[in-house]
Every structure is written in C-alpha cells, then in structure tokens.
Amino acid sequence: MDTVINDTMRVGIVGIPPLSIIGTLEESGAQVFDLDEPIIRKDIDAASPYLPQVYCAILRTVMINAMALDLDRIYIDVGPGKCDSALHTATILADLLPGTAIIPTRNQDSVNFGTPLCRTKMPLIDRMSAITAAVRKTKPAVEAPPCLPTAGFWGVPPRDFSLLTLFPDTTHIYGWARCMENKTPDNKELEEHYNPEVPTVFFAQSFCAKTALAQHLARRHPRGLYLDCDVTVGNSAKAKIQAFLELSGVRCAPR
C-alpha cells in the first residue's frame, strides 16, 4: 500500500486517530472528512444492509458516509479510545470498499492539551462543535477563561446536537467529549471525572458500550440524570432534560 499522502487525496477519519496521523494529514493538505458526523443526508436505515440496527447511530453514520464519499483511505480508531464495534466496522468496510485503504489505528496518546472549551462560558452547542472540529487539528484549543458551572453534560458528542440546546451557557462538559478536547481519547480517569456539586446529565448514544458507564456514574452522582438517544432527540428526551434542570434550580436556555 502506498503510504504517501498528498493534497489530492480524500481521507476519512473515525474516532480520534493518533496525533501523529492528524499531523501528517495537516501537512499533506489532504481533504479530511470526519465520518462520525452526518455528512451524507440519508435515512439511518441505509446502513442496515451492512451493520445491525443495534449498532450505535454514530457507527451507522460512519457506514453511510464511507459508502458514499469515494475516499482514498480511512483511518479508524479501533483501540480503547473508541470501541470494539469500530474494530468490526473496519473489517466490514475493508470488504465493502476494496478501492479504499482502511487503516485501523489505536490512539493511546497521553500528552494533555487541556480542556478550556469544556469549562468556559459559551453556548454548549457551539463549544461541542468546536471540540469535534478540532479532531482534524494538532493545535490545542484557544485558551478561554473558566466559568463557575451551574450544570454538567457528561458523555459523547450526540449525533443530534439539538440535545445540547437546552443547557445553560455555564454548563461544563465531562466524559469522553472532554477527552476529545484533551486529545487523549483513551484517558479512563479523565472520562470518569465529574463534578458532584452540579446537576449533570449523563448521556450516551443508544447501543453504545458507554451507556453502562453513563448509567453507573449517574447512579453515583447526587443529582445525575442518565439519558440515551438513538438517531434523533425527540420531544420526550428534551422534556426530561428540561424538567431535570429546572427541578435542580437551573434555568434552561431558551428553545
């Protein structure tokens, strides 16, 4: 396999590849697609011929994107910083896309880049968008002053970001999303960290292995709510968040 990457190549990434790979992609000028994001607007069931419906919406989104984007190669993190299901997805993609180089990675980077976006005052949806966009970059986030938290969001970036619109600007981010900003996805201690002083929603995509940790930590938290959603966030889930925050004395962001 040709290991040279150039500025004409179309490259997909799944999860958080090691920083060395992201640096190579930056230097090459290759066009990089984050396949975890809903780039191709198709019904999620379009992935059903290739992945079981009990796979999380993120990996089913990866499949839809990968099948449609005509990529030269895909770097897919299959280590503990992602999940076993990603490992099996890599195997399936390699069979389905013989013209695309499927390159499994195991990101065990341990250099801390900091988490200023997770702790600053800003609309939660804007901060999560900035964190996910930074996956393609080697530079740390721009420094931002921390704020006093009034609520917490623990978990992974949701497929449907409308879930984040109810949270106040002073919500701190915890869980794997904080590991993303820190560029250490396999950081168990950081992922399990939360603030017991603020009401916190513990979120994971339905069918994701992280639902077990989310549910466990929500039980331990004095004011924790466990929540999982599959593809889109319905009114019922939004009502649960709103009721939880308001009963905890937190003013929700205007919808």
Side-chain angles (χ1 to χ4, degrees):
M1 182 189 68
D2 186 1
T3 59
V4 176
I5 305 174
N6 58 55
D7 60 3
T8 66
M9 294 184 71
R10 294 162 57 86
V11 179
I13 59 172
V14 179
I16 308 177
L19 209 60
S20 58
I21 290 174
I22 297 299
T24 300
L25 293 174
E26 275 188 317
E27 292 171 6
S28 71
Q31 188 175 8
V32 179
F33 300 86
D34 186 346
L35 303 185
D36 289 341
E37 298 180 357
I39 301 169
I40 302 300
R41 300 293 176 176
K42 282 188 176 181
D43 188 279
I44 198 72
D45 286 339
S48 296
Y50 316 110
L51 288 179
Q53 291 184 337
V54 293
Y55 265 45
C56 76
I58 299 298
L59 288 177
R60 286 185 283 162
T61 298
V62 167
M63 182 62 67
I64 291 170
N65 289 331
M67 297 296 291
L69 287 174
D70 190 22
L71 302 170
D72 294 294
R73 63 178 61 182
I74 297 172
Y75 290 95
I76 177 167
D77 189 17
V78 300
K82 187 64 173 173
C83 62
D84 286 342
S85 294
L87 174 64
H88 305 317
T89 300
T91 299
I92 296 167
L93 286 172
D95 285 344
L96 292 173
L97 301 172
T100 300
I102 309 299
I103 306 171
T105 70
R106 294 181 181 271
N107 188 342
Q108 295 178 305
D109 292 343
S110 58
V111 176
N112 297 315
F113 276 64
T115 58
L117 286 173
C118 289
R119 297 176 291 121
T120 197
K121 182 178 180 180
M122 186 190 301
L124 184 57
I125 193 169
D126 293 344
R127 283 186 284 146
M128 195 67 78
S129 296
I131 289 170
T132 56
V135 169
R136 304 178 185 88
K137 305 295 182 181
T138 56
K139 295 180 180 178
V142 176
E143 279 299 324
C147 70
L148 187 68
T150 59
F153 175 87
W154 182 101
V156 301
R159 184 181 186 275
D160 182 355
F161 271 32
S162 69
L163 181 147
L164 307 173
T165 57
L166 288 171
F167 290 82
D169 295 355
T170 47
T171 300
H172 277 196
I173 299 173
Y174 305 96
W176 195 74
R178 183 173 281 210
C179 296
M180 284 186 73
E181 183 180 9
N182 197 51
K183 297 189 184 299
T184 56
D186 182 24
N187 189 328
K188 183 173 181 287
E189 182 178 358
L190 183 61
E191 184 173 12
E192 293 178 359
H193 169 72
Y194 61 83
N195 184 349
E197 301 300 322
V198 295
T200 300
V201 174
F202 292 83
F203 169 79
Q205 292 288 156
S206 298
F207 310 115
C208 173
K210 292 185 185 297
T211 54
L213 182 58
Q215 186 180 59
H216 174 66
L217 295 181
R219 284 197 300 263
R220 287 176 50 184
H221 195 287
R223 290 184 292 169
L225 171 69
Y226 165 66
L227 181 72
D228 75 286
C229 297
D230 189 9
V231 181
T232 57
V233 181
N235 289 331
S236 175
K238 290 181 179 179
K240 285 181 182 179
I241 295 171
Q242 185 171 11
F244 170 72
L245 293 175
E246 290 181 351
L247 289 171
S248 300
V250 178
R251 178 177 294 182
C252 293
R255 295 179 63 174

